[in-house]
Amino acid sequence: MFKENFVRLCNQHGESPTVVCKKIGITSSAFSKWTDESIPRQATLIRIADYFGTTVAYLTGVVRVATR
């Protein structure tokens, strides 16, 4: 769910996941390792949520609606 939501948000903002990762200081190899069972650490989730103006709960699938 996380990776799917991340990619969806990237697409909605007209940016590739690789570009977004670079902008927020995440390696593209870290992105390639994310799965539904393996998500980023809390600090990284917070950076991603802040970048997109959403919540960690949305990113991880706890909440189904983005805040923005």
Side-chain angles (χ1 to χ4, degrees), residues 9-57:
L9 287 167
C10 291
N11 291 335
Q12 288 173 353
H13 286 82
E15 298 180 295
S16 73
T18 304
V19 168
V20 171
C21 286
K22 185 174 182 177
K23 285 183 176 182
I24 59 178
I26 301 168
T27 64
S28 56
S29 64
F31 166 73
S32 67
K33 293 178 185 175
W34 296 338
T35 67
D36 287 337
E37 293 81 36
S38 171
I39 62 172
R41 295 180 314 195
Q42 187 70 18
T44 302
L45 289 170
I46 291 169
R47 285 197 332 242
I48 294 168
D50 288 348
Y51 181 83
F52 288 117
T54 191
T55 64
V56 170

